[in-house]
Amino acid sequence: MVEMEASRDWPCDLCGSDDAAEIVVARDYTGGEPLHVCRSCGFVFVRRRRSAEAIADAWSNEIFGSAYAAHIPAVVARLTYVAQFVDQTLGLRDKRLLDIGGGEGVFLDMIRRPEYGAEVFAVEPSNAYCDAMASRGIACFAGTIEDYLESLEAKPGSFDIVTIMWTLENCQSCRRMLDGAWALLRDGGHIVVATGSRILVPFKKPLHYYLRPGAQDTHAFRFSAKTLRGHLARSHFEAVEVNRFIDNDILCMAARKADRDSEIAWSGDDPDKVIDFFARWHEETAAHYADA
Ligand SMILES: [Zn+2]
């Protein structure tokens, strides 16, 4: 049994400000749970969160246990998209690649094949998924990235590429996950973040497909391209490539590990525009897709 630290309120993960405005329309979709936007930098986040262990447990036992399957066509398609993005941007052949939140290992199984030729490793909190990877011969550490860094197995500075796919939004602290990736990468290595979080882009679906009822801290962060770039900058990564996210379901960004003392410029979003974005999305959903 995991020892549970109590839930607590967090400041903005991107700029540290305590000044946040609630995105009021979100409650219609979350079952009354609040979602906030930072008044300083425009980052969208869930203020009240449980412990990292409780969130990882919720993902392993409650969410993945029932609904999620990495083999459905849409998921295979998006993982293939990321594999192509990484290969064309950074090259995968003979690279030592760590996937944080490796899931069942579908992506790693894909990129270790001869056409990509990467050497792969996963850190994954679900024991069941680690067993699934082990049965396919994929090396895996069972735990969070924080657990891995504290373990004797961890190899700081040894990876060429770290991938974080549909995972950065699902941990308790995106800052700690990015800092962990920084520590594990070699000098000049690269991180690739892929996410479905879409802020300040055309609406691709009804708002009730994006915000779901129930505990919100299993999806505590919602990134725009600017705020994702900002998070990477604050963890000493300089963005080198981003996909054409404006009309794609995926936001995919590659960034290069910079020195620990480097100051990389970033700018967030206008919080009023973010609030207006959600209000417009709510109006469109209510007017046209409420029954979808
Ligand atoms: Zn902020």
Side-chain angles (χ1 to χ4, degrees):
M1 190 61 203
V2 177
E3 192 177 322
M4 297 295 177
E5 161 199 330
S7 298
R8 66 179 175 90
D9 283 348
W10 286 63
C12 172
D13 299 82
L14 181 47
C15 76
S17 170
D18 285 317
D19 189 9
E22 189 178 335
I23 298 169
V24 177
V25 298
R27 283 188 190 242
D28 283 18
Y29 303 88
T30 60
E33 297 292 321
L35 182 67
H36 285 82
V37 58
C38 174
R39 284 193 195 275
S40 298
C41 74
F43 182 50
V44 177
F45 66 105
V46 174
R47 253 184 167 173
R48 175 62 58 98
R49 297 173 215 161
R50 292 168 288 177
S51 68
E53 292 77 12
I55 291 170
D57 266 14
W59 272 104
S60 298
N61 303 328
E62 298 162 27
I63 300 168
F64 283 153
S66 56
Y68 183 85
H71 298 280
I72 65 169
V75 176
V76 173
R78 75 187 196 186
L79 296 177
T80 303
Y81 182 97
V82 177
Q84 289 287 327
F85 176 86
V86 181
D87 198 38
Q88 290 175 19
T89 303
L90 307 172
L92 279 168
R93 188 157 309 281
D94 298 328
K95 298 287 172 61
R96 270 183 59 78
L97 184 144
L98 163 66
D99 189 27
I100 299 177
E104 295 170 77
V106 173
F107 177 74
L108 295 184
D109 193 38
M110 188 184 290
I111 64 167
R112 68 177 174 160
R113 291 178 200 158
E115 59 263 41
Y116 293 117
E119 186 186 333
V120 302
F121 183 72
V123 172
E124 163 58 50
S126 158
N127 284 315
Y129 281 173
C130 279
D131 290 346
M133 280 190 269
S135 72
R136 302 159 110 162
I138 296 171
C140 180
F141 176 87
T144 64
I145 193 67
E146 289 95 336
D147 298 333
Y148 179 60
L149 279 164
E150 287 169 10
S151 77
L152 296 174
E153 288 180 46
K155 297 187 177 74
S158 70
F159 291 96
D160 299 302
I161 299 171
V162 171
T163 51
I164 304 176
M165 298 180 294
W166 289 274
T167 295
L168 191 61
E169 55 271 50
N170 301 136
C171 59
Q172 185 209 39
S173 167
C174 53
R175 165 84 338 97
R176 283 209 297 268
M177 186 172 277
L178 292 173
D179 288 346
W182 190 95
L184 290 161
L185 279 166
R186 67 168 170 79
D187 289 346
H190 289 84
I191 188 170
V192 176
V193 177
T195 171
S197 301
R198 297 174 56 77
I199 306 286
L200 301 178
V201 291
F203 313 129
K204 293 280 279 194
K205 52 187 167 187
L207 188 47
H208 53 267
Y209 285 22
Y210 184 73
L211 296 174
R212 312 295 296 187
Q216 297 298 302
D217 61 2
T218 49
H219 196 137
F221 316 115
R222 309 267 171 181
F223 301 97
S224 71
K226 278 188 177 177
T227 59
L228 178 56
R229 191 182 291 261
H231 277 287
L232 290 166
R234 292 221 46 204
S235 288
H236 310 287
F237 288 106
E238 186 147 28
V240 295
E241 191 73 41
V242 63
N243 73 325
R244 201 178 80 164
F245 57 88
I246 191 81
D247 62 349
N248 197 301
D249 288 336
I250 301 169
L251 169 61
C252 194
M253 195 174 285
R256 183 178 174 279
K257 177 177 175 173
D259 293 339
R260 188 49 112 184
D261 55 5
S262 62
E263 290 266 342
I264 299 168
W266 62 276
S267 63
D269 292 316
D270 178 338
D272 291 330
K273 282 190 178 168
V274 172
I275 289 169
D276 179 61
F277 169 78
F278 277 96
R280 287 187 288 114
W281 198 353
H282 173 56
E283 277 173 28
E284 171 155 320
T285 297
H288 300 292
Y289 306 109
D291 297 333

